[in-house]
Amino acid sequence: MAEQDGAGPRRVPCVGAIIRDEAERLLLIQRRNEPGAGLWSLPGGRIEAGETDQRAVVREVAEETGLVVTCGRLVGSVERPGRPGSVYEIRDYAALVAGGVLAAGDDAADARWVTPAQAGALDAAGKLTDGLIAALRSWGVL
């Protein structure tokens, strides 16, 4: 599903899920693999061939967190450096938990709910993916 225009890096379409609980905490996962192994981020990943953004959000959240979600509206999009020669085009969607039990899986080493203050502390300590807090703040999420 990646696109290459011949003039620049390979563009890889990805999705992320912005999930809040009833206490307004944000769901973050700790990345198991590169890029950004060990850093905290939103659950999400690459869109598979023939998959819609919405299906990718539901699949990625289930794989990484054990939660079943419904995908809502597009909140925002960003571009981030990917593996050498590629750029990830990430579209982040609001999502609501419909079931499941939170447990890290697949590409996630850990998964947890964090308050805005805890997210800020992770960012200040250099433990969040680059630009995540700024993007979430610019979209009115934090």
Side-chain angles (χ1 to χ4, degrees):
M1 180 103 193
E3 298 174 16
Q4 177 83 34
D5 65 9
R10 184 173 62 104
R11 306 188 78 69
V12 181
C14 301
V15 294
I18 299 171
I19 307 169
R20 314 276 311 253
D21 69 2
E22 60 282 345
E24 293 300 310
R25 296 177 302 174
L26 180 68
L27 181 61
L28 295 179
I29 58 99
Q30 187 177 37
R31 297 184 53 80
R32 181 183 309 259
N33 302 314
E34 294 297 341
L39 298 177
W40 291 87
S41 190
L42 298 174
R46 288 184 291 276
I47 300 170
E48 295 180 354
E51 192 174 42
T52 65
D53 285 11
Q54 292 76 13
R55 282 189 178 173
V57 166
V58 171
R59 176 184 53 77
E60 286 288 346
V61 170
E63 289 175 358
E64 293 183 351
T65 71
L67 297 176
V68 176
V69 298
T70 56
C71 184
R73 70 176 181 85
L74 176 67
V75 176
S77 60
V78 296
E79 290 187 358
R80 295 288 181 256
R83 296 185 186 274
S86 68
V87 171
Y88 294 136
E89 295 178 334
I90 307 165
R91 294 181 292 277
D92 289 324
Y93 289 82
L96 296 172
V97 176
V101 176
L102 181 60
D106 192 40
D107 294 335
D110 197 359
R112 69 176 65 153
W113 298 102
V114 299
T115 65
Q118 290 168 325
L122 286 169
D123 189 48
K127 295 182 179 181
L128 280 186
T129 54
D130 187 44
L132 179 60
I133 288 288
L136 293 174
R137 285 183 178 147
S138 74
W139 301 334
V141 174
L142 290 179

